[in-house]
Amino acid sequence: MSTSAVEPGTRLAERFRLEDRVSESDGATLWKAIDEILARPVAVHTFGPDFPRVHEVVTAARAASRLTDPRLTQVFDAAEDDDHSYVVSEWVTGESLTDLLSGGPLEPDRAAGLVAEAAEALAHAHEAKLYHLCLRPAHLVWTTGNTVKVLGLAVDAALSGLTTDQPALDDAEGLGRLLYAGLTGHWPGDEEEGGLPAAPMIDGHFCSPRQVTAGVPNYLDTVTVRACLPESRKGQGALASPSEVAEALADVARPMPIAISYPSTPAVASASHTEGLDIAHRQQRTLPPQPIMPRRPPNQGGGNVLNRVLMTLVVLLVIAAVGVGAWTIGRSLGGPATPEASSTPTTGKSSASASAQAVKPAKAKGFDPLGDDGDEKSDIAGLAIDGKPSTAWTTSSYGNAELGNLKKGVGLLLDMGKSMQISDVVATLAKAEGSSVDLKVGDSPDLDSLKTVATQKAASGKTTLTPEEPASGRYVLIWFTRVPADAGQFRGTIYEVVVHSPGSA
């Protein structure tokens, strides 16, 4: 179909109505369109008569349509003939990596989490012999539905005529560049990309992320170097495929999804947020029942009698409540000694709770005394006490919920700086159920010296661990004895920990 013949309002396949021309390049035009049957926005590529790769693009789109990973753009339709060649795919709304970087580099864990999701999605695509080959910041999107989406799999390479003899390595390098961009706000290429400045160089080589941005964890620096900076590897093996990148990032915390309640007619609401809200308001206005009085005989008074009876009952209940309240107040004023004596334990406990203050730990450590080296990802332990609920410390991944039957427990050890009484500890865990955690407190960081003061089974989300009896110590240990499922494996996650204390012991 000639681009000159395609204008806003054109309908393809008697279903897809073109609305806005988004971009045009080398004879291929991207449109925002409406699927009139399902009343939802879609993306449509059309092609001019001189576009040379229609067959390759349509073939790639048809192959991509068979993939089911929700992190990859879904293809709905693709057709090829002399007059009507087009590709219809999912219309994705959200913020691209370019948008996310407009305010500077991302938090390291967030950048790693986004790229880890993309790496897993591309690993699935590679299993089906489908490749991306042109990963750029605009291709990685955090959607309005709080999910990761990789745009343009197979199709964008066909549009550009890109081919390669080493697709796995090319996509691994592309993922490494995305991680580099997320960690530094720079693009490791010879030119700017999507508004990102080119990465700085030393002696003709790109600087590593840690050389560009302070605070990048060493392991993320290493993953990035192994994926896309061959000059800086210093003997380290390259990450040569998306699956290897995904494996290297398997332990990073993933972006937390936010629960969204969809309107009852999501297809219409997806076309316009305003329409969706209007629909919700109209539905609320229809909830009150319609008056039914006209259906009653005009001389029937049963309803009035019932109303009078109900009103009488309400008045009697109010009088009774007032009387009980007055009696309670009078009793309190007349005999203060008796209530004070009878409620001494409760008053003391509530008073201690009321005066408890949040105390920031001096430092945190991943604690694995039963493992080989005693450490459990201490390099990211500080993320659990940084005051940011979007960051997290995680355990290593295990083969089952019982820590792969390798050990009895693993945890996060907090050094409070000095001995103090512990009122409670509030830990925000992963939403997935299945965590079993103990709270241990003591004055020595040795496992045998830490006393278990609280236990919570089947824990998830915000979990409060309150000692069953007064507990004091310098060290606070959140000890996982069971971890929940996470992305096909099992690991514990702590997004944030808050320790409350009524004062120093």
Side-chain angles (χ1 to χ4, degrees), residues 240-331:
S241 69
S243 62
E244 292 185 9
V245 176
E247 183 178 357
L249 296 174
D251 291 337
V252 303
R254 304 309 168 90
M256 290 184 65
I258 301 173
I260 296 177
S261 56
Y262 292 95
S264 60
T265 54
V268 175
S270 67
S272 167
H273 292 296
T274 304
E275 287 183 7
L277 293 173
D278 288 341
I279 289 171
H281 294 326
R282 287 196 294 271
Q283 290 171 339
Q284 288 181 344
R285 287 197 292 268
T286 60
L287 286 177
Q290 296 297 319
I292 58 175
M293 290 302 293
R295 297 184 182 180
R296 297 178 178 174
N299 59 350
Q300 190 170 358
N304 292 332
V305 173
L306 179 61
N307 288 340
R308 286 197 294 273
V309 172
L310 292 174
M311 183 61 71
T312 301
L313 289 174
V314 171
V315 171
L316 291 175
L317 289 172
V318 171
I319 292 173
V322 171
V324 171
W327 175 78
T328 301
I329 294 173
R331 187 164 179 250

Side-chain angles (χ1 to χ4, degrees), residues 335-360:
T338 302
E340 183 179 352
S342 63
S343 61
T344 298
T346 303
T347 302
K349 183 176 181 180
S350 61
S351 179
S353 299
S355 61
Q357 300 291 325
V359 181
K360 183 175 176 61

